[in-house]
């Protein structure tokens, strides 16, 4: 696959943004390439296009499959595995959000619950510290509940909610 200058800039920027979000640069660049690609690509083609070591491509593809952001495809007459990115942006967003929720938020909630429980049994913990831990637990619990409800809505509804922006405040009062 030949990248135009604009496509190359997109892929490089996606790699940079990925590294800022804690994702390996190569993983992000491969995801960007597969998102832009008009057809599924095999690992050798990805390696050649991005000038990334084949072993790095293989590892990155496994990570992207683990995040469920790319899918394996077979091509008749070709024994190699081909990969394609999810092109539905809402599906991609919710997939990433769900994976991050499982990997980051769930352990945080578990730790916060334990801290609040243990802290309530400690006689020397400052009341304000315990209250702040409880506030954080309540906040993340509420945010998680909101996410779970929102993520079940149909895409068309999500788009309408997004387009409402701050005007949604009219429906809930000030």
């Amino acid at each position: 696959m030949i990248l135009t200058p604009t496509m190359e800039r997109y892929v490089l920027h996606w790699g940079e943004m990925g590294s800022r979000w804690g994702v390996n640069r190569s993983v992000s660049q491969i995801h960007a390439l597969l998102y832009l690609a008009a057809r599924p690509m095999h690992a050798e083609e990805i390696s050649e296009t991005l000038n990334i070591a084949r072993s790095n491509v293989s590892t990155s593809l496994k990570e992207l499959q683990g995040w469920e952001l790319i899918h394996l495809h077979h091509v008749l007459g070709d024994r190699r595995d081909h990969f394609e990115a999810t092109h539905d942006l809402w599906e991609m967003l919710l997939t990433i959000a769900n994976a991050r929720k499982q990997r980051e938020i769930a352990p945080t909630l578990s730790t916060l619950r334990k801290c609040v429980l243990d802290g309530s049994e400690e006689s020397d913990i400052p009341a304000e510290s315990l209250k702040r831990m409880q506030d954080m637990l309540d906040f993340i619990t509420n945010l998680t509940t909101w996410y779970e409800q929102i993520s079940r809505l149909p895409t068309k509804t999500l788009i309408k909610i997004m387009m409402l922006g701050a005007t949604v405040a009219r429906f809930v009062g000030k």
Side-chain angles (χ1 to χ4, degrees):
M1 179 173 172
I2 297 173
L3 297 178
T4 69
T6 301
M7 293 168 75
E8 185 175 323
R9 186 170 59 242
Y10 179 92
V11 168
L12 291 173
H13 182 73
W14 200 250
E16 179 65 28
M17 290 311 299
S19 66
R20 290 180 185 171
W21 296 330
V23 178
N24 178 287
R25 182 183 312 269
S26 298
V27 171
S28 298
Q29 288 178 348
I30 291 168
H31 180 247
L33 175 67
L34 292 173
Y35 176 74
L36 294 179
R39 59 173 174 67
M41 297 175 69
H42 56 78
E44 292 83 13
E45 185 177 15
I46 295 168
S47 177
E48 290 170 12
T49 302
L50 297 178
N51 198 22
I52 296 175
R54 176 66 172 80
S55 59
N56 193 355
V57 170
S58 293
T59 302
S60 297
L61 290 170
K62 286 179 183 154
E63 186 171 338
L64 287 165
Q65 285 179 295
W67 281 81
E68 297 181 11
L69 292 173
I70 65 169
H71 307 284
L72 179 65
H73 287 273
H74 296 284
V75 175
L76 192 63
D78 190 343
R79 292 191 296 184
R80 296 174 291 195
D81 291 336
H82 292 70
F83 301 90
E84 183 174 41
T86 301
H87 294 115
D88 181 299
L89 295 174
W90 281 99
E91 180 183 341
M92 186 187 313
L93 172 70
L94 292 174
T95 298
I96 292 169
N98 191 48
R100 293 199 86 125
K101 178 180 166 276
Q102 291 172 359
R103 293 177 181 163
E104 298 167 21
I105 303 300
T108 299
L109 280 172
S110 178
T111 298
L112 283 170
R113 284 185 193 106
K114 180 106 173 85
C115 287
V116 168
L117 182 65
D118 292 349
S120 66
E121 296 174 0
E122 289 179 8
S123 59
D124 57 344
I125 191 170
E128 189 61 28
S129 296
L130 184 59
K131 181 186 180 320
R132 288 179 182 168
M133 283 188 269
Q134 182 66 55
D135 289 347
M136 182 63 75
L137 174 60
D138 293 344
F139 176 76
I140 295 176
T141 298
N142 288 336
L143 193 58
T144 302
T145 301
W146 173 82
Y147 163 76
E148 289 168 358
Q149 292 171 0
I150 289 294
S151 67
R152 288 192 294 265
L153 294 175
T155 300
K156 288 182 179 182
T157 304
L158 288 172
I159 292 169
K160 287 178 184 177
I161 291 170
M162 182 181 73
M163 298 306 285
L164 281 172
T167 60
V168 75
R170 287 187 295 183
F171 299 105
V172 295
K174 295 180 182 179

